[in-house]
Amino acid sequence: MLTTQNGLVLRERSLKENDKFLYILTDGSGLIEVAAKGVKKQNAKNASVSQPFCYAKYCLIESGGGFILNSAEPIRTFFNISRDMARFSLANYFAETALYVMTEEKPNNEVLRLILNCLHFLDTQSRDILLLKSIFEFRLMSEIGLIPNLLGCCDCLKYQAPLMQFDLRGGRLFCENCIGNRSLAEMEPLDTKLLHYLRYIALTDMKQLFSMNVQKEYLSTLSRITERYCEIQLGKKFATLDFFKTMMG
Ligand SMILES: [Zn+2]
């Protein structure tokens, strides 16, 4: 049976001879594994659409619970990303994280949209690289149901305070009056700017998300907070993230 799906290749795995397995995040079926035959041969017709970070309309043969690549029309390739090691390593981190959280049973088009947007801005180099990392990490958590409660202090409901503590494991805020003698080991202090940035990333419409402006001096703190939130919520460390950090020096 033939099926057509728009999808983004997140990873490839080499098989024997000229074949590959592709892990494609699709709009209709979530994350799927696709056998791509003969694509390592020179001049193979499907070679260019069987590369990581190719976004294409894939025509697939569904058989025996698996998929085989028949043909594809490229929609967007992000050529520039691989020309810069920091950007390329960040794209790989996005891919590894998406591979970790997505499954075949649950398509999630917002996650696909998020990663496509992030790759677009990595490719065009029109947004700060650390800002893209923060947007990806924090928005991803929102899209997969791990959105923290940022509406206000979880005890007294105060919306804003000069300083709030963000409980990364509990996904909630405490104002200074309500923090009591809780351990700060898994908390991050937020001033009003940081809190505003986090609310914006988690809650604003995807169309406006990438036009957000963050003051330069906040970028690395914001990046640390979204990264820790992601790591604690997923209970997972990603090798691609460590590599990205070594690229950033
Ligand atoms: Zn409070």
Side-chain angles (χ1 to χ4, degrees), residues 7-34:
L8 173 73
V9 178
L10 292 180
R11 179 180 288 166
E12 61 177 7
R13 185 159 59 85
S14 235
L15 290 176
K16 60 177 171 53
E17 292 169 28
N18 292 310
D19 304 346
K20 281 182 189 175
F21 256 130
L22 304 175
Y23 297 84
I24 304 182
L25 188 60
T26 66
D27 57 357
S29 302
L31 184 66
I32 58 172
E33 232 180 276
V34 174

PDB file of all heavy atoms in Angstrom, residues 7-34:
ATOM      1  N   GLY A   7       7.611  14.761   5.777  1.00  0.00           N
ATOM      2  CA  GLY A   7       8.414  14.374   6.932  1.00  0.00           C
ATOM      3  C   GLY A   7       9.829  14.929   6.885  1.00  0.00           C
ATOM      4  O   GLY A   7      10.329  15.339   5.834  1.00  0.00           O
ATOM      5  N   LEU A   8      10.435  14.947   8.057  1.00  0.00           N
ATOM      6  CA  LEU A   8      11.800  15.439   8.231  1.00  0.00           C
ATOM      7  C   LEU A   8      12.681  14.275   8.690  1.00  0.00           C
ATOM      8  O   LEU A   8      12.366  13.616   9.683  1.00  0.00           O
ATOM      9  CB  LEU A   8      11.805  16.537   9.300  1.00  0.00           C
ATOM     10  CG  LEU A   8      13.168  17.066   9.730  1.00  0.00           C
ATOM     11  CD1 LEU A   8      13.776  17.950   8.636  1.00  0.00           C
ATOM     12  CD2 LEU A   8      13.053  17.858  11.036  1.00  0.00           C
ATOM     13  N   VAL A   9      13.774  14.051   7.970  1.00  0.00           N
ATOM     14  CA  VAL A   9      14.702  12.989   8.376  1.00  0.00           C
ATOM     15  C   VAL A   9      15.483  13.465   9.589  1.00  0.00           C
ATOM     16  O   VAL A   9      16.165  14.494   9.539  1.00  0.00           O
ATOM     17  CB  VAL A   9      15.679  12.613   7.244  1.00  0.00           C
ATOM     18  CG1 VAL A   9      16.652  11.533   7.721  1.00  0.00           C
ATOM     19  CG2 VAL A   9      14.931  12.145   6.013  1.00  0.00           C
ATOM     20  N   LEU A  10      15.378  12.723  10.695  1.00  0.00           N
ATOM     21  CA  LEU A  10      16.095  13.111  11.908  1.00  0.00           C
ATOM     22  C   LEU A  10      17.426  12.371  12.024  1.00  0.00           C
ATOM     23  O   LEU A  10      18.375  12.881  12.595  1.00  0.00           O
ATOM     24  CB  LEU A  10      15.245  12.802  13.148  1.00  0.00           C
ATOM     25  CG  LEU A  10      13.976  13.639  13.335  1.00  0.00           C
ATOM     26  CD1 LEU A  10      13.264  13.217  14.604  1.00  0.00           C
ATOM     27  CD2 LEU A  10      14.309  15.128  13.382  1.00  0.00           C
ATOM     28  N   ARG A  11      17.446  11.144  11.514  1.00  0.00           N
ATOM     29  CA  ARG A  11      18.686  10.371  11.646  1.00  0.00           C
ATOM     30  C   ARG A  11      18.723   9.284  10.574  1.00  0.00           C
ATOM     31  O   ARG A  11      17.678   8.834  10.112  1.00  0.00           O
ATOM     32  CB  ARG A  11      18.739   9.711  13.031  1.00  0.00           C
ATOM     33  CG  ARG A  11      19.996   8.851  13.235  1.00  0.00           C
ATOM     34  CD  ARG A  11      20.036   8.209  14.586  1.00  0.00           C
ATOM     35  NE  ARG A  11      20.307   9.174  15.641  1.00  0.00           N
ATOM     36  CZ  ARG A  11      20.137   8.929  16.935  1.00  0.00           C
ATOM     37  NH1 ARG A  11      19.679   7.753  17.327  1.00  0.00           N
ATOM     38  NH2 ARG A  11      20.422   9.843  17.834  1.00  0.00           N
ATOM     39  N   GLU A  12      19.937   8.905  10.219  1.00  0.00           N
ATOM     40  CA  GLU A  12      20.091   7.780   9.292  1.00  0.00           C
ATOM     41  C   GLU A  12      20.940   6.711   9.963  1.00  0.00           C
ATOM     42  O   GLU A  12      21.758   7.008  10.830  1.00  0.00           O
ATOM     43  CB  GLU A  12      20.770   8.236   7.999  1.00  0.00           C
ATOM     44  CG  GLU A  12      22.160   8.789   8.245  1.00  0.00           C
ATOM     45  CD  GLU A  12      22.904   9.188   6.980  1.00  0.00           C
ATOM     46  OE1 GLU A  12      22.299   9.172   5.901  1.00  0.00           O
ATOM     47  OE2 GLU A  12      24.094   9.497   7.102  1.00  0.00           O
ATOM     48  N   ARG A  13      20.684   5.489   9.603  1.00  0.00           N
ATOM     49  CA  ARG A  13      21.526   4.392  10.087  1.00  0.00           C
ATOM     50  C   ARG A  13      21.894   3.556   8.872  1.00  0.00           C
ATOM     51  O   ARG A  13      21.023   3.179   8.083  1.00  0.00           O
ATOM     52  CB  ARG A  13      20.733   3.550  11.097  1.00  0.00           C
ATOM     53  CG  ARG A  13      21.533   2.455  11.771  1.00  0.00           C
ATOM     54  CD  ARG A  13      20.858   2.021  13.091  1.00  0.00           C
ATOM     55  NE  ARG A  13      19.504   1.536  12.902  1.00  0.00           N
ATOM     56  CZ  ARG A  13      19.185   0.285  12.571  1.00  0.00           C
ATOM     57  NH1 ARG A  13      20.128  -0.622  12.395  1.00  0.00           N
ATOM     58  NH2 ARG A  13      17.921  -0.070  12.420  1.00  0.00           N
ATOM     59  N   SER A  14      23.180   3.318   8.737  1.00  0.00           N
ATOM     60  CA  SER A  14      23.656   2.569   7.585  1.00  0.00           C
ATOM     61  C   SER A  14      23.279   1.108   7.690  1.00  0.00           C
ATOM     62  O   SER A  14      23.418   0.502   8.758  1.00  0.00           O
ATOM     63  CB  SER A  14      25.172   2.698   7.501  1.00  0.00           C
ATOM     64  OG  SER A  14      25.528   3.170   6.243  1.00  0.00           O
ATOM     65  N   LEU A  15      22.801   0.540   6.599  1.00  0.00           N
ATOM     66  CA  LEU A  15      22.555  -0.891   6.549  1.00  0.00           C
ATOM     67  C   LEU A  15      23.574  -1.507   5.598  1.00  0.00           C
ATOM     68  O   LEU A  15      24.430  -0.824   5.060  1.00  0.00           O
ATOM     69  CB  LEU A  15      21.138  -1.176   6.066  1.00  0.00           C
ATOM     70  CG  LEU A  15      20.007  -0.820   7.025  1.00  0.00           C
ATOM     71  CD1 LEU A  15      18.669  -1.066   6.369  1.00  0.00           C
ATOM     72  CD2 LEU A  15      20.122  -1.639   8.305  1.00  0.00           C
ATOM     73  N   LYS A  16      23.430  -2.773   5.342  1.00  0.00           N
ATOM     74  CA  LYS A  16      24.391  -3.455   4.470  1.00  0.00           C
ATOM     75  C   LYS A  16      24.414  -2.807   3.081  1.00  0.00           C
ATOM     76  O   LYS A  16      23.428  -2.233   2.630  1.00  0.00           O
ATOM     77  CB  LYS A  16      24.029  -4.931   4.369  1.00  0.00           C
ATOM     78  CG  LYS A  16      22.637  -5.129   3.803  1.00  0.00           C
ATOM     79  CD  LYS A  16      22.327  -6.592   3.632  1.00  0.00           C
ATOM     80  CE  LYS A  16      20.875  -6.811   3.268  1.00  0.00           C
ATOM     81  NZ  LYS A  16      20.328  -6.109   2.146  1.00  0.00           N
ATOM     82  N   GLU A  17      25.532  -2.948   2.443  1.00  0.00           N
ATOM     83  CA  GLU A  17      25.711  -2.468   1.070  1.00  0.00           C
ATOM     84  C   GLU A  17      25.231  -1.031   0.880  1.00  0.00           C
ATOM     85  O   GLU A  17      25.712  -0.130   1.521  1.00  0.00           O
ATOM     86  CB  GLU A  17      25.024  -3.420   0.079  1.00  0.00           C
ATOM     87  CG  GLU A  17      25.737  -4.761   0.035  1.00  0.00           C
ATOM     88  CD  GLU A  17      24.959  -5.813  -0.712  1.00  0.00           C
ATOM     89  OE1 GLU A  17      24.182  -5.450  -1.604  1.00  0.00           O
ATOM     90  OE2 GLU A  17      25.136  -7.003  -0.391  1.00  0.00           O
ATOM     91  N   ASN A  18      24.205  -0.848   0.066  1.00  0.00           N
ATOM     92  CA  ASN A  18      23.830   0.516  -0.307  1.00  0.00           C
ATOM     93  C   ASN A  18      22.567   1.025   0.375  1.00  0.00           C
ATOM     94  O   ASN A  18      22.006   2.032  -0.037  1.00  0.00           O
ATOM     95  CB  ASN A  18      23.642   0.594  -1.823  1.00  0.00           C
ATOM     96  CG  ASN A  18      24.962   0.411  -2.535  1.00  0.00           C
ATOM     97  OD1 ASN A  18      25.945   1.067  -2.206  1.00  0.00           O
ATOM     98  ND2 ASN A  18      25.009  -0.513  -3.472  1.00  0.00           N
ATOM     99  N   ASP A  19      22.139   0.316   1.420  1.00  0.00           N
ATOM    100  CA  ASP A  19      20.851   0.664   2.029  1.00  0.00           C
ATOM    101  C   ASP A  19      21.026   1.461   3.326  1.00  0.00           C
ATOM    102  O   ASP A  19      22.072   1.415   3.971  1.00  0.00           O
ATOM    103  CB  ASP A  19      20.044  -0.608   2.334  1.00  0.00           C
ATOM    104  CG  ASP A  19      19.841  -1.450   1.089  1.00  0.00           C
ATOM    105  OD1 ASP A  19      20.085  -0.924  -0.017  1.00  0.00           O
ATOM    106  OD2 ASP A  19      19.459  -2.628   1.233  1.00  0.00           O
ATOM    107  N   LYS A  20      19.963   2.148   3.691  1.00  0.00           N
ATOM    108  CA  LYS A  20      19.937   2.907   4.941  1.00  0.00           C
ATOM    109  C   LYS A  20      18.587   2.728   5.604  1.00  0.00           C
ATOM    110  O   LYS A  20      17.588   2.474   4.938  1.00  0.00           O
ATOM    111  CB  LYS A  20      20.035   4.412   4.660  1.00  0.00           C
ATOM    112  CG  LYS A  20      21.364   4.986   4.349  1.00  0.00           C
ATOM    113  CD  LYS A  20      21.187   6.499   4.165  1.00  0.00           C
ATOM    114  CE  LYS A  20      22.437   7.157   3.627  1.00  0.00           C
ATOM    115  NZ  LYS A  20      22.192   8.603   3.352  1.00  0.00           N
ATOM    116  N   PHE A  21      18.578   2.918   6.914  1.00  0.00           N
ATOM    117  CA  PHE A  21      17.334   3.134   7.628  1.00  0.00           C
ATOM    118  C   PHE A  21      17.236   4.622   7.911  1.00  0.00           C
ATOM    119  O   PHE A  21      18.205   5.246   8.331  1.00  0.00           O
ATOM    120  CB  PHE A  21      17.330   2.399   8.972  1.00  0.00           C
ATOM    121  CG  PHE A  21      16.495   1.160   8.969  1.00  0.00           C
ATOM    122  CD1 PHE A  21      17.007  -0.050   9.427  1.00  0.00           C
ATOM    123  CD2 PHE A  21      15.171   1.202   8.529  1.00  0.00           C
ATOM    124  CE1 PHE A  21      16.231  -1.201   9.429  1.00  0.00           C
ATOM    125  CE2 PHE A  21      14.391   0.062   8.527  1.00  0.00           C
ATOM    126  CZ  PHE A  21      14.923  -1.146   8.970  1.00  0.00           C
ATOM    127  N   LEU A  22      16.060   5.193   7.678  1.00  0.00           N
ATOM    128  CA  LEU A  22      15.854   6.605   7.989  1.00  0.00           C
ATOM    129  C   LEU A  22      14.827   6.715   9.107  1.00  0.00           C
ATOM    130  O   LEU A  22      13.839   5.981   9.121  1.00  0.00           O
ATOM    131  CB  LEU A  22      15.327   7.352   6.756  1.00  0.00           C
ATOM    132  CG  LEU A  22      16.163   7.257   5.486  1.00  0.00           C
ATOM    133  CD1 LEU A  22      15.431   7.946   4.337  1.00  0.00           C
ATOM    134  CD2 LEU A  22      17.537   7.875   5.703  1.00  0.00           C
ATOM    135  N   TYR A  23      15.080   7.619  10.030  1.00  0.00           N
ATOM    136  CA  TYR A  23      14.095   7.914  11.067  1.00  0.00           C
ATOM    137  C   TYR A  23      13.459   9.241  10.685  1.00  0.00           C
ATOM    138  O   TYR A  23      14.119  10.276  10.713  1.00  0.00           O
ATOM    139  CB  TYR A  23      14.761   7.964  12.437  1.00  0.00           C
ATOM    140  CG  TYR A  23      15.355   6.625  12.790  1.00  0.00           C
ATOM    141  CD1 TYR A  23      16.630   6.264  12.343  1.00  0.00           C
ATOM    142  CD2 TYR A  23      14.612   5.678  13.506  1.00  0.00           C
ATOM    143  CE1 TYR A  23      17.159   5.013  12.612  1.00  0.00           C
ATOM    144  CE2 TYR A  23      15.139   4.425  13.782  1.00  0.00           C
ATOM    145  CZ  TYR A  23      16.413   4.107  13.325  1.00  0.00           C
ATOM    146  OH  TYR A  23      16.926   2.860  13.588  1.00  0.00           O
ATOM    147  N   ILE A  24      12.192   9.172  10.287  1.00  0.00           N
ATOM    148  CA  ILE A  24      11.524  10.350   9.728  1.00  0.00           C
ATOM    149  C   ILE A  24      10.377  10.779  10.641  1.00  0.00           C
ATOM    150  O   ILE A  24       9.523   9.967  10.999  1.00  0.00           O
ATOM    151  CB  ILE A  24      10.983  10.057   8.311  1.00  0.00           C
ATOM    152  CG1 ILE A  24      12.116   9.561   7.397  1.00  0.00           C
ATOM    153  CG2 ILE A  24      10.329  11.298   7.714  1.00  0.00           C
ATOM    154  CD1 ILE A  24      11.679   9.290   5.958  1.00  0.00           C
ATOM    155  N   LEU A  25      10.397  12.059  11.009  1.00  0.00           N
ATOM    156  CA  LEU A  25       9.301  12.633  11.789  1.00  0.00           C
ATOM    157  C   LEU A  25       8.263  13.142  10.796  1.00  0.00           C
ATOM    158  O   LEU A  25       8.519  14.094  10.053  1.00  0.00           O
ATOM    159  CB  LEU A  25       9.823  13.771  12.672  1.00  0.00           C
ATOM    160  CG  LEU A  25       8.834  14.354  13.682  1.00  0.00           C
ATOM    161  CD1 LEU A  25       8.338  13.301  14.661  1.00  0.00           C
ATOM    162  CD2 LEU A  25       9.469  15.515  14.442  1.00  0.00           C
ATOM    163  N   THR A  26       7.116  12.485  10.764  1.00  0.00           N
ATOM    164  CA  THR A  26       6.111  12.802   9.750  1.00  0.00           C
ATOM    165  C   THR A  26       4.931  13.549  10.350  1.00  0.00           C
ATOM    166  O   THR A  26       4.727  13.531  11.568  1.00  0.00           O
ATOM    167  CB  THR A  26       5.569  11.510   9.113  1.00  0.00           C
ATOM    168  OG1 THR A  26       4.843  10.771  10.112  1.00  0.00           O
ATOM    169  CG2 THR A  26       6.681  10.651   8.559  1.00  0.00           C
ATOM    170  N   ASP A  27       4.155  14.182   9.475  1.00  0.00           N
ATOM    171  CA  ASP A  27       2.980  14.892   9.985  1.00  0.00           C
ATOM    172  C   ASP A  27       1.812  13.944  10.234  1.00  0.00           C
ATOM    173  O   ASP A  27       0.928  14.263  11.022  1.00  0.00           O
ATOM    174  CB  ASP A  27       2.584  16.046   9.045  1.00  0.00           C
ATOM    175  CG  ASP A  27       2.299  15.581   7.623  1.00  0.00           C
ATOM    176  OD1 ASP A  27       2.451  14.378   7.329  1.00  0.00           O
ATOM    177  OD2 ASP A  27       1.927  16.431   6.799  1.00  0.00           O
ATOM    178  N   GLY A  28       1.798  12.791   9.595  1.00  0.00           N
ATOM    179  CA  GLY A  28       0.638  11.910   9.749  1.00  0.00           C
ATOM    180  C   GLY A  28       0.835  10.753  10.701  1.00  0.00           C
ATOM    181  O   GLY A  28      -0.102  10.304  11.364  1.00  0.00           O
ATOM    182  N   SER A  29       2.059  10.254  10.792  1.00  0.00           N
ATOM    183  CA  SER A  29       2.285   9.025  11.559  1.00  0.00           C
ATOM    184  C   SER A  29       3.302   9.168  12.679  1.00  0.00           C
ATOM    185  O   SER A  29       3.774   8.172  13.221  1.00  0.00           O
ATOM    186  CB  SER A  29       2.764   7.913  10.622  1.00  0.00           C
ATOM    187  OG  SER A  29       1.829   7.683   9.608  1.00  0.00           O
ATOM    188  N   GLY A  30       3.666  10.394  13.018  1.00  0.00           N
ATOM    189  CA  GLY A  30       4.682  10.561  14.053  1.00  0.00           C
ATOM    190  C   GLY A  30       6.040  10.103  13.548  1.00  0.00           C
ATOM    191  O   GLY A  30       6.362  10.256  12.372  1.00  0.00           O
ATOM    192  N   LEU A  31       6.806   9.501  14.432  1.00  0.00           N
ATOM    193  CA  LEU A  31       8.154   9.064  14.068  1.00  0.00           C
ATOM    194  C   LEU A  31       8.099   7.677  13.433  1.00  0.00           C
ATOM    195  O   LEU A  31       7.585   6.738  14.043  1.00  0.00           O
ATOM    196  CB  LEU A  31       9.013   9.021  15.331  1.00  0.00           C
ATOM    197  CG  LEU A  31      10.475   8.687  15.139  1.00  0.00           C
ATOM    198  CD1 LEU A  31      11.193   9.781  14.369  1.00  0.00           C
ATOM    199  CD2 LEU A  31      11.145   8.482  16.492  1.00  0.00           C
ATOM    200  N   ILE A  32       8.627   7.550  12.228  1.00  0.00           N
ATOM    201  CA  ILE A  32       8.623   6.237  11.582  1.00  0.00           C
ATOM    202  C   ILE A  32      10.025   5.864  11.107  1.00  0.00           C
ATOM    203  O   ILE A  32      10.885   6.717  10.896  1.00  0.00           O
ATOM    204  CB  ILE A  32       7.648   6.177  10.374  1.00  0.00           C
ATOM    205  CG1 ILE A  32       8.002   7.234   9.328  1.00  0.00           C
ATOM    206  CG2 ILE A  32       6.207   6.346  10.833  1.00  0.00           C
ATOM    207  CD1 ILE A  32       7.196   7.106   8.037  1.00  0.00           C
ATOM    208  N   GLU A  33      10.216   4.553  10.954  1.00  0.00           N
ATOM    209  CA  GLU A  33      11.471   4.017  10.452  1.00  0.00           C
ATOM    210  C   GLU A  33      11.233   3.603   9.012  1.00  0.00           C
ATOM    211  O   GLU A  33      10.282   2.867   8.735  1.00  0.00           O
ATOM    212  CB  GLU A  33      11.804   2.772  11.274  1.00  0.00           C
ATOM    213  CG  GLU A  33      13.183   2.756  11.864  1.00  0.00           C
ATOM    214  CD  GLU A  33      13.415   1.476  12.664  1.00  0.00           C
ATOM    215  OE1 GLU A  33      13.004   1.451  13.843  1.00  0.00           O
ATOM    216  OE2 GLU A  33      13.980   0.528  12.095  1.00  0.00           O
ATOM    217  N   VAL A  34      12.093   4.050   8.128  1.00  0.00           N
ATOM    218  CA  VAL A  34      11.877   3.782   6.708  1.00  0.00           C
ATOM    219  C   VAL A  34      13.131   3.131   6.114  1.00  0.00           C
ATOM    220  O   VAL A  34      14.242   3.621   6.311  1.00  0.00           O
ATOM    221  CB  VAL A  34      11.576   5.099   5.947  1.00  0.00           C
ATOM    222  CG1 VAL A  34      11.492   4.847   4.450  1.00  0.00           C
ATOM    223  CG2 VAL A  34      10.292   5.745   6.469  1.00  0.00           C
TER     224      VAL A  34
END
